[in-house]
Coordinates of all heavy atoms in Angstrom, one line a residue:
M1 N 26.2 -33.6 -120.0 CA 27.1 -34.7 -120.3 C 27.5 -35.3 -119.0 O 27.9 -34.7 -118.0 CB 28.4 -34.3 -121.1 CG 29.3 -35.5 -121.2 SD 31.0 -35.1 -121.8 CE 30.9 -33.6 -122.7
K2 N 27.5 -36.6 -118.9 CA 27.9 -37.3 -117.7 C 29.4 -37.6 -117.8 O 29.9 -38.1 -118.8 CB 27.2 -38.7 -117.5 CG 25.8 -38.5 -117.1 CD 25.2 -39.9 -116.8 CE 23.8 -39.8 -116.3 NZ 23.2 -41.1 -116.1
I3 N 30.1 -37.2 -116.9 CA 31.6 -37.5 -116.8 C 31.7 -38.7 -115.9 O 31.4 -38.7 -114.7 CB 32.4 -36.3 -116.3 CG1 32.0 -35.0 -117.0 CG2 33.8 -36.6 -116.3 CD1 32.3 -35.1 -118.5
I4 N 32.3 -39.7 -116.4 CA 32.4 -41.0 -115.7 C 33.8 -41.2 -115.2 O 34.8 -40.9 -115.9 CB 32.0 -42.2 -116.6 CG1 30.6 -42.0 -117.2 CG2 32.1 -43.5 -115.9 CD1 29.5 -41.9 -116.2
K5 N 33.9 -41.7 -114.0 CA 35.2 -42.0 -113.5 C 35.2 -43.4 -112.9 O 34.1 -43.9 -112.6 CB 35.7 -41.0 -112.4 CG 34.8 -41.0 -111.2 CD 35.3 -40.0 -110.1 CE 34.5 -40.1 -108.9 NZ 34.9 -39.1 -107.9
K6 N 36.3 -44.0 -112.8 CA 36.3 -45.4 -112.3 C 36.7 -45.3 -110.8 O 37.5 -44.5 -110.4 CB 37.4 -46.2 -112.9 CG 37.0 -46.6 -114.4 CD 38.0 -47.6 -114.9 CE 37.6 -48.0 -116.3 NZ 38.5 -48.9 -117.0
V7 N 35.9 -46.0 -110.0 CA 36.0 -46.1 -108.5 C 36.2 -47.5 -108.1 O 35.4 -48.4 -108.5 CB 34.8 -45.5 -107.8 CG1 35.0 -45.6 -106.3 CG2 34.6 -44.0 -108.3
L8 N 37.2 -47.7 -107.4 CA 37.5 -49.1 -106.8 C 36.6 -49.3 -105.6 O 36.7 -48.6 -104.6 CB 39.0 -49.3 -106.5 CG 39.3 -50.7 -106.0 CD1 39.0 -51.8 -107.0 CD2 40.8 -50.7 -105.6
R9 N 35.7 -50.2 -105.6 CA 34.8 -50.5 -104.5 C 35.5 -51.6 -103.6 O 36.0 -52.6 -104.2 CB 33.5 -51.1 -104.9 CG 32.7 -50.1 -105.8 CD 32.1 -49.0 -104.9 NE 31.3 -48.2 -105.7 CZ 31.2 -46.8 -105.5 NH1 31.8 -46.3 -104.6 NH2 30.4 -46.1 -106.3
P10 N 35.6 -51.4 -102.3 CA 36.2 -52.4 -101.5 C 35.4 -53.7 -101.5 O 34.2 -53.8 -101.6 CB 36.2 -51.8 -100.1 CG 35.1 -50.8 -100.1 CD 35.0 -50.3 -101.6
A11 N 36.2 -54.8 -101.5 CA 35.5 -56.1 -101.4 C 34.9 -56.3 -100.0 O 35.3 -55.6 -99.1 CB 36.6 -57.2 -101.6
Y12 N 33.9 -57.1 -99.9 CA 33.3 -57.3 -98.6 C 33.5 -58.7 -98.1 O 33.8 -59.6 -98.9 CB 31.8 -57.0 -98.7 CG 31.0 -58.0 -99.5 CD1 30.3 -59.0 -98.8 CD2 31.0 -58.0 -100.9 CE1 29.6 -60.0 -99.5 CE2 30.2 -58.9 -101.6 CZ 29.6 -59.9 -100.9 OH 28.9 -60.8 -101.6
E13 N 33.6 -58.8 -96.8 CA 33.7 -60.1 -96.2 C 32.3 -60.6 -95.8 O 31.5 -59.7 -95.4 CB 34.6 -60.0 -95.0 CG 36.0 -60.1 -95.2 CD 36.8 -60.2 -93.9 OE1 36.5 -59.4 -93.0 OE2 37.7 -61.0 -93.8
E14 N 32.1 -61.9 -95.9 CA 30.9 -62.5 -95.5 C 31.1 -63.7 -94.7 O 32.0 -64.5 -95.0 CB 30.1 -62.8 -96.8 CG 28.8 -63.4 -96.6 CD 28.1 -63.7 -97.9 OE1 28.7 -63.8 -98.9 OE2 26.8 -64.0 -97.8
E15 N 30.4 -63.9 -93.6 CA 30.5 -65.1 -92.8 C 29.7 -66.2 -93.5 O 28.5 -66.0 -93.7 CB 30.1 -64.8 -91.4 CG 31.0 -63.9 -90.6 CD 30.7 -63.8 -89.2 OE1 29.8 -64.6 -88.7 OE2 31.4 -63.1 -88.5
V16 N 30.3 -67.3 -93.8 CA 29.6 -68.4 -94.4 C 30.0 -69.7 -93.5 O 31.1 -69.7 -92.9 CB 30.0 -68.7 -95.8 CG1 29.5 -67.5 -96.6 CG2 31.4 -68.9 -96.0
L17 N 29.2 -70.7 -93.5 CA 29.4 -71.9 -92.8 C 30.6 -72.6 -93.4 O 30.6 -72.9 -94.6 CB 28.3 -72.8 -92.8 CG 28.4 -74.2 -92.1 CD1 28.6 -74.0 -90.6 CD2 27.3 -75.1 -92.4
D18 N 31.6 -72.9 -92.7 CA 32.8 -73.7 -93.1 C 32.4 -75.2 -92.9 O 32.5 -76.0 -93.7 CB 34.1 -73.3 -92.4 CG 35.3 -74.1 -92.9 OD1 35.5 -74.0 -94.2 OD2 35.9 -74.8 -92.1
H19 N 32.1 -75.5 -91.6 CA 31.7 -76.8 -91.2 C 31.0 -76.7 -89.9 O 31.2 -75.7 -89.1 CB 32.8 -77.8 -91.2 CG 33.9 -77.5 -90.2 ND1 34.9 -76.6 -90.3 CD2 34.0 -78.0 -89.0 CE1 35.6 -76.6 -89.3 NE2 35.1 -77.5 -88.4
L20 N 30.3 -77.7 -89.5 CA 29.6 -77.8 -88.2 C 30.3 -79.0 -87.5 O 30.6 -80.0 -88.0 CB 28.2 -78.2 -88.5 CG 27.2 -77.9 -87.4 CD1 27.1 -76.4 -87.1 CD2 25.8 -78.5 -87.7
K21 N 30.6 -78.7 -86.2 CA 31.2 -79.7 -85.4 C 30.3 -80.1 -84.2 O 29.7 -79.3 -83.6 CB 32.5 -79.1 -84.8 CG 33.3 -80.1 -84.0 CD 34.6 -79.4 -83.5 CE 35.3 -80.3 -82.5 NZ 36.3 -79.6 -81.7
C22 N 30.2 -81.4 -84.0 CA 29.4 -81.9 -82.9 C 30.0 -81.4 -81.6 O 31.2 -81.4 -81.4 CB 29.5 -83.5 -82.9 SG 28.6 -84.2 -81.5
E23 N 29.1 -81.0 -80.7 CA 29.5 -80.5 -79.4 C 30.1 -81.6 -78.5 O 30.7 -81.2 -77.5 CB 28.4 -79.8 -78.7 CG 27.8 -78.6 -79.4 CD 28.8 -77.4 -79.4 OE1 29.7 -77.4 -78.7 OE2 28.6 -76.5 -80.2
L24 N 29.8 -82.8 -78.8 CA 30.2 -83.9 -77.9 C 31.3 -84.8 -78.4 O 31.9 -85.5 -77.6 CB 29.0 -84.8 -77.6 CG 27.8 -84.1 -77.0 CD1 26.6 -85.1 -76.8 CD2 28.2 -83.4 -75.6
C25 N 31.6 -84.7 -79.7 CA 32.8 -85.5 -80.2 C 33.4 -84.7 -81.3 O 33.1 -83.5 -81.5 CB 32.3 -86.8 -80.7 SG 31.4 -86.8 -82.2
E26 N 34.2 -85.3 -82.1 CA 35.0 -84.5 -83.1 C 34.4 -84.6 -84.5 O 34.9 -84.1 -85.5 CB 36.4 -85.1 -83.2 CG 37.2 -84.9 -81.9 CD 37.5 -83.4 -81.6 OE1 37.8 -82.7 -82.5 OE2 37.3 -83.1 -80.4
A27 N 33.2 -85.2 -84.6 CA 32.5 -85.4 -85.9 C 32.2 -84.0 -86.5 O 31.8 -83.0 -85.8 CB 31.2 -86.1 -85.7
T28 N 32.3 -83.9 -87.8 CA 32.1 -82.6 -88.5 C 31.2 -82.9 -89.7 O 31.2 -84.0 -90.2 CB 33.4 -81.9 -88.9 OG1 34.0 -82.8 -89.9 CG2 34.2 -81.6 -87.8
T29 N 30.5 -81.9 -90.2 CA 29.8 -82.0 -91.5 C 29.9 -80.6 -92.1 O 30.1 -79.6 -91.5 CB 28.3 -82.3 -91.2 OG1 27.6 -82.3 -92.5 CG2 27.6 -81.3 -90.3
M30 N 29.8 -80.6 -93.5 CA 29.9 -79.4 -94.2 C 28.6 -78.7 -94.4 O 28.5 -77.7 -94.9 CB 30.5 -79.7 -95.6 CG 31.9 -80.4 -95.5 SD 33.1 -79.3 -94.7 CE 33.4 -78.2 -96.0
N31 N 27.5 -79.4 -93.9 CA 26.2 -78.9 -94.1 C 25.6 -78.3 -92.8 O 26.1 -78.6 -91.7 CB 25.2 -80.0 -94.6 CG 25.7 -80.6 -95.9 OD1 26.0 -79.9 -96.8 ND2 25.9 -81.9 -95.9
E32 N 24.6 -77.6 -92.9 CA 24.0 -76.9 -91.7 C 23.6 -77.9 -90.6 O 24.0 -77.7 -89.5 CB 22.8 -76.1 -92.2 CG 22.2 -75.2 -91.1 CD 23.1 -74.0 -90.8 OE1 23.8 -73.5 -91.8 OE2 23.1 -73.5 -89.8
D33 N 22.7 -78.9 -91.0 CA 22.3 -79.8 -89.9 C 22.1 -81.2 -90.5 O 21.5 -82.0 -89.9 CB 21.0 -79.3 -89.2 CG 19.9 -79.0 -90.2 OD1 20.1 -79.3 -91.5 OD2 18.9 -78.6 -89.9
D34 N 22.7 -81.4 -91.7 CA 22.6 -82.8 -92.3 C 24.0 -83.4 -92.2 O 25.0 -82.9 -92.8 CB 22.1 -82.7 -93.7 CG 21.8 -84.0 -94.3 OD1 22.3 -85.0 -93.9 OD2 20.9 -84.0 -95.2
W35 N 24.0 -84.6 -91.6 CA 25.3 -85.2 -91.4 C 25.5 -86.4 -92.4 O 26.4 -87.2 -92.3 CB 25.4 -85.8 -90.0 CG 25.3 -84.7 -88.9 CD1 24.1 -84.1 -88.6 CD2 26.3 -84.1 -88.2 NE1 24.4 -83.1 -87.6 CE2 25.7 -83.1 -87.4 CE3 27.7 -84.2 -88.2 CZ2 26.5 -82.3 -86.5 CZ3 28.4 -83.5 -87.3 CH2 27.8 -82.5 -86.5
G36 N 24.6 -86.5 -93.4 CA 24.7 -87.5 -94.4 C 26.0 -87.4 -95.3 O 26.5 -86.3 -95.4
E37 N 26.4 -88.5 -95.9 CA 27.6 -88.5 -96.6 C 27.4 -88.1 -98.1 O 28.3 -87.7 -98.8 CB 28.4 -89.8 -96.5 CG 28.9 -90.1 -95.1 CD 29.7 -91.3 -95.0 OE1 29.9 -92.0 -96.0 OE2 30.0 -91.7 -93.9
S38 N 26.2 -88.4 -98.6 CA 26.0 -88.0 -100.0 C 24.8 -87.0 -100.0 O 24.1 -86.9 -99.1 CB 25.7 -89.2 -100.9 OG 24.3 -89.6 -100.8
G39 N 24.6 -86.5 -101.2 CA 23.5 -85.5 -101.4 C 22.1 -86.1 -101.2 O 21.1 -85.4 -100.9
Y40 N 22.0 -87.4 -101.3 CA 20.7 -88.1 -101.2 C 20.4 -88.6 -99.8 O 19.3 -88.9 -99.4 CB 20.6 -89.2 -102.1 CG 20.6 -88.8 -103.6 CD1 21.7 -89.0 -104.4 CD2 19.5 -88.1 -104.2 CE1 21.8 -88.5 -105.7 CE2 19.5 -87.6 -105.4 CZ 20.7 -87.9 -106.2 OH 20.7 -87.4 -107.5
D41 N 21.5 -88.6 -99.0 CA 21.3 -89.1 -97.6 C 20.5 -88.1 -96.8 O 20.7 -86.9 -96.9 CB 22.6 -89.3 -96.9 CG 23.4 -90.5 -97.5 OD1 22.7 -91.4 -98.1 OD2 24.6 -90.6 -97.3
V42 N 19.7 -88.6 -95.9 CA 19.0 -87.7 -94.9 C 19.5 -88.2 -93.6 O 19.2 -89.3 -93.2 CB 17.5 -87.8 -95.1 CG1 16.8 -86.9 -94.0 CG2 17.0 -87.3 -96.4
L43 N 20.2 -87.4 -92.9 CA 20.7 -87.7 -91.6 C 20.9 -86.4 -90.8 O 21.9 -85.9 -90.6 CB 22.1 -88.4 -91.8 CG 22.6 -89.2 -90.6 CD1 21.6 -90.2 -90.1 CD2 23.9 -89.9 -90.9
E44 N 19.7 -85.9 -90.5 CA 19.6 -84.5 -89.9 C 19.4 -84.6 -88.4 O 18.6 -85.5 -87.9 CB 18.5 -83.7 -90.5 CG 18.7 -83.5 -91.9 CD 17.6 -82.7 -92.6 OE1 16.6 -82.3 -91.9 OE2 17.6 -82.6 -93.9
T45 N 20.0 -83.8 -87.6 CA 19.8 -83.7 -86.2 C 19.5 -82.2 -85.8 O 20.1 -81.3 -86.5 CB 20.9 -84.2 -85.3 OG1 22.1 -83.4 -85.6 CG2 21.2 -85.7 -85.6
K46 N 18.7 -82.0 -84.9 CA 18.5 -80.6 -84.4 C 18.0 -80.7 -83.0 O 16.9 -81.3 -82.7 CB 17.5 -79.9 -85.2 CG 17.5 -78.4 -84.8 CD 16.8 -77.5 -85.9 CE 16.9 -76.1 -85.5 NZ 16.3 -75.2 -86.4
V47 N 18.8 -80.2 -82.1 CA 18.4 -80.1 -80.7 C 18.3 -78.6 -80.3 O 19.3 -77.9 -80.3 CB 19.4 -80.8 -79.7 CG1 19.0 -80.7 -78.3 CG2 19.5 -82.3 -80.1
S48 N 17.2 -78.1 -80.1 CA 17.0 -76.6 -79.9 C 15.8 -76.3 -79.1 O 14.8 -77.0 -79.0 CB 17.0 -75.9 -81.2 OG 15.9 -76.2 -82.0
I49 N 15.8 -75.1 -78.6 CA 14.6 -74.5 -78.0 C 14.5 -73.0 -78.6 O 15.5 -72.3 -78.7 CB 14.6 -74.4 -76.5 CG1 13.3 -73.8 -76.0 CG2 15.8 -73.7 -76.0 CD1 13.1 -73.9 -74.4
E50 N 13.3 -72.7 -79.0 CA 13.0 -71.4 -79.6 C 12.2 -70.6 -78.7 O 11.1 -71.0 -78.3 CB 12.4 -71.5 -81.0 CG 12.5 -70.3 -81.8 CD 12.1 -70.5 -83.3 OE1 11.8 -71.6 -83.7 OE2 12.1 -69.5 -84.1
E51 N 12.6 -69.4 -78.3 CA 11.8 -68.6 -77.3 C 11.6 -67.2 -77.9 O 12.6 -66.7 -78.5 CB 12.5 -68.5 -76.0 CG 12.8 -69.8 -75.3 CD 13.8 -69.7 -74.2 OE1 15.0 -69.6 -74.4 OE2 13.3 -69.7 -73.0
G52 N 10.5 -66.6 -77.7 CA 10.2 -65.2 -78.1 C 8.8 -65.0 -78.3 O 7.9 -65.6 -77.6
K53 N 8.5 -64.1 -79.3 CA 7.1 -63.7 -79.6 C 6.9 -63.9 -81.1 O 7.8 -63.5 -81.9 CB 6.8 -62.2 -79.2 CG 7.0 -61.9 -77.7 CD 5.8 -62.5 -76.9 CE 5.9 -62.1 -75.5 NZ 4.9 -62.8 -74.6
R54 N 5.7 -64.3 -81.5 CA 5.4 -64.5 -82.9 C 4.0 -63.9 -83.1 O 3.1 -64.3 -82.4 CB 5.5 -65.9 -83.3 CG 5.3 -66.1 -84.8 CD 5.6 -67.5 -85.3 NE 7.0 -67.8 -85.2 CZ 7.5 -68.9 -84.5 NH1 6.7 -69.7 -83.9 NH2 8.8 -69.1 -84.4
Y55 N 3.9 -63.0 -84.0 CA 2.6 -62.3 -84.4 C 2.4 -62.6 -85.8 O 3.3 -63.0 -86.6 CB 2.7 -60.8 -84.0 CG 3.0 -60.6 -82.6 CD1 4.2 -60.2 -82.1 CD2 1.9 -60.7 -81.6 CE1 4.5 -59.9 -80.8 CE2 2.2 -60.4 -80.3 CZ 3.4 -60.1 -79.9 OH 3.7 -59.8 -78.6
P56 N 1.2 -62.2 -86.4 CA 1.0 -62.5 -87.8 C 2.0 -62.0 -88.7 O 2.3 -62.7 -89.7 CB -0.4 -61.9 -88.0 CG -1.0 -61.9 -86.7 CD 0.1 -61.7 -85.7
N57 N 2.5 -60.8 -88.5 CA 3.5 -60.2 -89.5 C 4.9 -60.0 -88.9 O 5.7 -59.3 -89.5 CB 2.9 -58.9 -90.0 CG 1.6 -59.1 -90.8 OD1 1.5 -60.1 -91.5 ND2 0.7 -58.2 -90.5
D58 N 5.1 -60.5 -87.7 CA 6.4 -60.1 -87.1 C 6.7 -61.2 -86.0 O 5.9 -62.0 -85.6 CB 6.2 -58.8 -86.4 CG 7.6 -58.1 -86.3 OD1 8.6 -58.6 -86.6 OD2 7.6 -56.9 -85.7
G59 N 7.9 -61.2 -85.6 CA 8.3 -62.0 -84.5 C 9.8 -61.9 -84.2 O 10.5 -61.3 -85.0
W60 N 10.2 -62.3 -83.0 CA 11.6 -62.2 -82.6 C 11.8 -63.1 -81.4 O 10.8 -63.6 -80.8 CB 11.9 -60.8 -82.2 CG 11.2 -60.2 -81.1 CD1 11.5 -60.4 -79.7 CD2 9.9 -59.5 -81.1 NE1 10.5 -59.8 -79.0 CE2 9.5 -59.2 -79.8 CE3 9.1 -59.1 -82.2 CZ2 8.4 -58.6 -79.5 CZ3 7.9 -58.4 -81.8 CH2 7.6 -58.1 -80.5
G61 N 13.0 -63.4 -81.2 CA 13.3 -64.2 -80.1 C 14.8 -64.7 -80.2 O 15.6 -64.2 -80.9
V62 N 15.0 -65.8 -79.4 CA 16.3 -66.4 -79.3 C 16.2 -67.9 -79.5 O 15.2 -68.5 -78.9 CB 17.0 -66.1 -78.0 CG1 18.3 -66.9 -77.8 CG2 17.2 -64.6 -77.8
E63 N 17.0 -68.5 -80.3 CA 17.0 -69.9 -80.4 C 18.3 -70.5 -79.8 O 19.4 -70.0 -80.2 CB 16.9 -70.4 -81.9 CG 16.8 -71.9 -82.0 CD 16.5 -72.3 -83.5 OE1 16.7 -71.5 -84.4 OE2 16.2 -73.4 -83.7
T64 N 18.2 -71.4 -78.8 CA 19.3 -72.0 -78.2 C 19.5 -73.4 -78.9 O 18.6 -74.2 -78.9 CB 19.1 -72.2 -76.7 OG1 18.8 -70.9 -76.1 CG2 20.3 -72.8 -76.1
I65 N 20.7 -73.6 -79.5 CA 20.9 -74.8 -80.3 C 22.1 -75.5 -79.8 O 23.1 -75.0 -79.4 CB 21.2 -74.3 -81.8 CG1 20.1 -73.4 -82.3 CG2 21.5 -75.5 -82.7 CD1 20.4 -72.7 -83.6
V66 N 22.0 -76.8 -79.8 CA 23.1 -77.7 -79.5 C 23.4 -78.5 -80.8 O 22.5 -79.2 -81.3 CB 22.8 -78.7 -78.4 CG1 24.0 -79.6 -78.2 CG2 22.5 -78.0 -77.1
D67 N 24.6 -78.4 -81.4 CA 25.0 -79.1 -82.6 C 25.4 -80.5 -82.1 O 26.5 -80.6 -81.4 CB 26.1 -78.4 -83.3 CG 25.6 -77.0 -83.8 OD1 24.5 -76.9 -84.3 OD2 26.4 -76.0 -83.7
I68 N 24.7 -81.5 -82.6 CA 25.0 -82.9 -82.1 C 25.0 -83.8 -83.3 O 24.0 -83.7 -84.1 CB 24.1 -83.3 -81.0 CG1 24.5 -84.6 -80.4 CG2 22.7 -83.3 -81.4 CD1 23.8 -85.0 -79.1
C69 N 25.9 -84.7 -83.5 CA 26.0 -85.6 -84.6 C 25.0 -86.7 -84.4 O 24.6 -87.0 -83.2 CB 27.4 -86.1 -84.8 SG 27.9 -87.3 -83.6
P70 N 24.6 -87.4 -85.4 CA 23.7 -88.6 -85.3 C 24.1 -89.6 -84.3 O 23.3 -90.2 -83.5 CB 23.6 -89.1 -86.7 CG 23.9 -88.0 -87.6 CD 24.9 -87.2 -86.8
K71 N 25.4 -89.9 -84.3 CA 26.0 -91.0 -83.4 C 25.8 -90.6 -81.9 O 25.3 -91.3 -81.1 CB 27.5 -91.2 -83.7 CG 28.1 -92.3 -83.0 CD 29.5 -92.5 -83.4 CE 30.1 -93.9 -83.0 NZ 30.6 -93.9 -81.6
C72 N 26.1 -89.3 -81.6 CA 26.0 -88.9 -80.2 C 24.5 -88.7 -79.9 O 24.1 -89.0 -78.7 CB 26.7 -87.5 -80.0 SG 28.5 -87.7 -80.0
F73 N 23.7 -88.3 -80.9 CA 22.2 -88.3 -80.6 C 21.7 -89.6 -80.2 O 21.0 -89.7 -79.2 CB 21.5 -87.8 -81.9 CG 20.0 -87.6 -81.7 CD1 19.6 -86.3 -81.4 CD2 19.1 -88.6 -81.8 CE1 18.2 -86.1 -81.2 CE2 17.8 -88.4 -81.7 CZ 17.3 -87.1 -81.4
K74 N 22.1 -90.7 -81.0 CA 21.6 -92.0 -80.7 C 22.2 -92.7 -79.5 O 21.6 -93.4 -78.7 CB 21.8 -92.9 -81.9 CG 20.9 -92.5 -83.1 CD 21.2 -93.4 -84.3 CE 20.4 -93.1 -85.5 NZ 20.8 -93.9 -86.7
E75 N 23.5 -92.5 -79.3 CA 24.3 -93.2 -78.3 C 24.5 -92.5 -77.0 O 24.8 -93.1 -76.0 CB 25.7 -93.6 -78.9 CG 25.6 -94.6 -80.1 CD 26.9 -95.0 -80.6 OE1 28.0 -94.6 -80.0 OE2 26.9 -95.7 -81.7
K76 N 24.3 -91.2 -77.0 CA 24.4 -90.4 -75.8 C 23.1 -89.7 -75.4 O 22.7 -89.9 -74.2 CB 25.6 -89.4 -75.9 CG 26.9 -90.0 -76.1 CD 28.0 -89.0 -76.3 CE 29.3 -89.6 -76.5 NZ 30.4 -88.7 -76.7
L77 N 22.6 -88.9 -76.3 CA 21.4 -88.2 -75.9 C 20.2 -89.0 -75.6 O 19.5 -88.9 -74.6 CB 21.1 -87.1 -76.9 CG 19.9 -86.1 -76.6 CD1 20.1 -85.4 -75.3 CD2 19.7 -85.2 -77.8
L78 N 19.8 -89.9 -76.6 CA 18.6 -90.8 -76.4 C 18.7 -91.6 -75.2 O 17.7 -91.7 -74.4 CB 18.4 -91.6 -77.7 CG 17.8 -91.0 -78.9 CD1 17.5 -91.9 -80.0 CD2 16.5 -90.2 -78.5
P79 N 19.8 -92.3 -74.9 CA 19.9 -93.1 -73.7 C 19.7 -92.2 -72.4 O 19.1 -92.7 -71.5 CB 21.3 -93.7 -73.7 CG 21.6 -93.8 -75.2 CD 21.0 -92.6 -75.8
W80 N 20.3 -91.0 -72.4 CA 20.1 -90.1 -71.3 C 18.6 -89.8 -71.1 O 18.1 -89.8 -70.0 CB 21.0 -88.9 -71.4 CG 20.8 -88.0 -70.2 CD1 21.4 -88.2 -69.0 CD2 19.9 -86.8 -70.1 NE1 20.9 -87.1 -68.1 CE2 20.0 -86.3 -68.8 CE3 19.0 -86.2 -71.0 CZ2 19.3 -85.2 -68.4 CZ3 18.3 -85.1 -70.6 CH2 18.4 -84.7 -69.3
L81 N 18.0 -89.4 -72.2 CA 16.6 -89.0 -72.2 C 15.7 -90.1 -71.6 O 14.9 -90.0 -70.8 CB 16.1 -88.5 -73.5 CG 16.6 -87.2 -74.0 CD1 16.3 -87.0 -75.5 CD2 16.0 -86.1 -73.2
I82 N 16.0 -91.3 -72.2 CA 15.3 -92.5 -71.7 C 15.5 -92.8 -70.2 O 14.6 -93.1 -69.4 CB 15.7 -93.8 -72.5 CG1 15.1 -93.6 -74.0 CG2 15.1 -95.1 -71.9 CD1 15.7 -94.6 -75.0
S83 N 16.7 -92.6 -69.8 CA 17.1 -92.8 -68.3 C 16.3 -91.7 -67.5 O 16.1 -91.9 -66.2 CB 18.6 -92.6 -68.1 OG 19.0 -91.3 -68.1
Q84 N 15.9 -90.6 -68.1 CA 15.2 -89.5 -67.3 C 13.7 -89.7 -67.4 O 12.9 -89.0 -66.9 CB 15.5 -88.1 -67.9 CG 17.0 -87.8 -67.8 CD 17.5 -87.8 -66.3 OE1 16.9 -87.1 -65.5 NE2 18.5 -88.5 -66.0
G85 N 13.3 -90.8 -68.1 CA 11.9 -91.1 -68.2 C 11.2 -90.8 -69.5 O 10.0 -91.0 -69.6
A86 N 12.0 -90.3 -70.4 CA 11.4 -89.9 -71.7 C 10.9 -91.2 -72.5 O 11.5 -92.2 -72.5 CB 12.3 -89.1 -72.6
K87 N 9.7 -91.0 -73.1 CA 9.2 -92.0 -74.1 C 9.6 -91.5 -75.5 O 9.2 -90.5 -75.9 CB 7.7 -92.2 -73.9 CG 7.3 -92.4 -72.5 CD 6.9 -93.9 -72.3 CE 6.3 -94.1 -71.0 NZ 7.1 -94.0 -69.8
I88 N 10.4 -92.3 -76.2 CA 10.9 -91.9 -77.5 C 9.9 -92.3 -78.5 O 9.4 -93.4 -78.6 CB 12.3 -92.6 -77.8 CG1 13.3 -92.2 -76.6 CG2 12.8 -92.1 -79.1 CD1 13.5 -90.7 -76.4
R89 N 9.6 -91.4 -79.4 CA 8.6 -91.6 -80.5 C 9.3 -91.6 -81.8 O 10.1 -90.7 -82.1 CB 7.5 -90.5 -80.4 CG 6.4 -90.6 -81.3 CD 5.4 -89.5 -81.3 NE 5.9 -88.3 -81.9 CZ 6.2 -87.1 -81.2 NH1 6.0 -87.1 -79.9 NH2 6.6 -86.1 -81.9
K90 N 9.0 -92.6 -82.7 CA 9.5 -92.6 -84.0 C 8.4 -92.4 -85.0 O 7.3 -93.1 -84.8 CB 10.3 -93.9 -84.3 CG 11.6 -94.0 -83.6 CD 12.4 -95.1 -84.0 CE 13.7 -95.2 -83.4 NZ 14.6 -96.1 -83.9
E91 N 8.5 -91.6 -86.0 CA 7.5 -91.4 -87.0 C 8.1 -91.6 -88.4 O 9.2 -91.1 -88.6 CB 6.9 -90.0 -86.9 CG 6.1 -89.8 -85.6 CD 5.5 -88.4 -85.5 OE1 5.8 -87.6 -86.5 OE2 4.8 -88.1 -84.6
E92 N 7.4 -92.4 -89.2 CA 7.9 -92.4 -90.6 C 7.5 -91.2 -91.4 O 6.6 -90.5 -91.1 CB 7.2 -93.7 -91.3 CG 7.7 -95.0 -90.7 CD 7.2 -96.2 -91.5 OE1 6.7 -96.0 -92.6 OE2 7.4 -97.3 -91.0
W93 N 8.4 -90.9 -92.4 CA 8.1 -89.7 -93.2 C 8.4 -90.1 -94.6 O 9.1 -91.0 -95.0 CB 8.9 -88.5 -92.7 CG 10.4 -88.7 -92.9 CD1 11.2 -89.4 -92.0 CD2 11.2 -88.4 -94.0 NE1 12.5 -89.4 -92.5 CE2 12.5 -88.8 -93.8 CE3 10.9 -87.8 -95.2 CZ2 13.5 -88.6 -94.7 CZ3 12.0 -87.6 -96.1 CH2 13.3 -88.0 -95.8
N94 N 7.8 -89.3 -95.5 CA 8.2 -89.4 -97.0 C 7.8 -88.1 -97.6 O 6.9 -87.3 -97.1 CB 7.5 -90.6 -97.7 CG 6.0 -90.6 -97.6 OD1 5.4 -89.6 -98.0 ND2 5.5 -91.6 -97.0
S95 N 8.4 -87.8 -98.7 CA 8.1 -86.5 -99.4 C 7.9 -86.7 -100.8 O 8.2 -87.7 -101.4 CB 9.1 -85.5 -99.0 OG 10.4 -85.9 -99.5
Ligands
ZN101 ZN1 29.1 -86.4 -81.9

């Protein structure tokens, strides 16, 4: 016969994203990298470098990320890149 007893399991804490804040201004978003105001808006930014090793079944490394809002991307980062000689490329997309 199984004798059953009740045991109180401790609750666990989990880290979840509260919001993302632009590193250059006070802009915030509740999403990971989408700064759009509605669920249908696409307004994503990502400035990062990924370094490491990638093999067919494995990989590891470090990703260095700068959280930047679309306004700072367009008004601060792009002008700086252009001033450094960068040629900016725009590509249309659809899904
Ligand atoms: Zn910003």
Side-chain angles (χ1 to χ4, degrees):
M1 172 189 344
K2 287 185 177 176
I3 308 301
I4 306 298
K5 65 179 181 181
K6 289 188 177 180
V7 176
L8 181 62
R9 299 284 185 215
Y12 70 97
E13 273 187 318
E14 182 180 14
E15 291 189 3
V16 296
L17 176 68
D18 182 61
H19 66 278
L20 198 65
K21 183 179 168 197
C22 176
E23 297 291 344
L24 300 178
C25 74
E26 297 297 317
T28 61
T29 179
M30 302 299 283
N31 302 311
E32 188 75 28
D33 54 7
D34 192 334
W35 301 78
E37 292 184 7
S38 83
Y40 295 107
D41 292 340
V42 175
L43 198 53
E44 299 176 3
T45 60
K46 187 165 187 179
V47 178
S48 67
I49 181 172
E50 198 170 356
E51 301 168 282
K53 298 285 185 188
R54 186 171 293 125
Y55 300 100
N57 298 322
D58 204 359
W60 62 87
V62 173
E63 185 175 13
T64 303
I65 303 166
V66 179
D67 299 316
I68 185 169
C69 74
K71 185 174 193 284
C72 289
F73 186 93
K74 291 178 183 176
E75 296 180 6
K76 294 178 181 177
L77 183 59
L78 282 185
W80 180 81
L81 288 169
I82 291 169
S83 77
Q84 299 299 305
K87 306 259 189 290
I88 305 303
R89 184 181 75 244
K90 290 189 176 191
E91 296 181 354
E92 292 188 12
W93 64 274
N94 59 56
S95 57

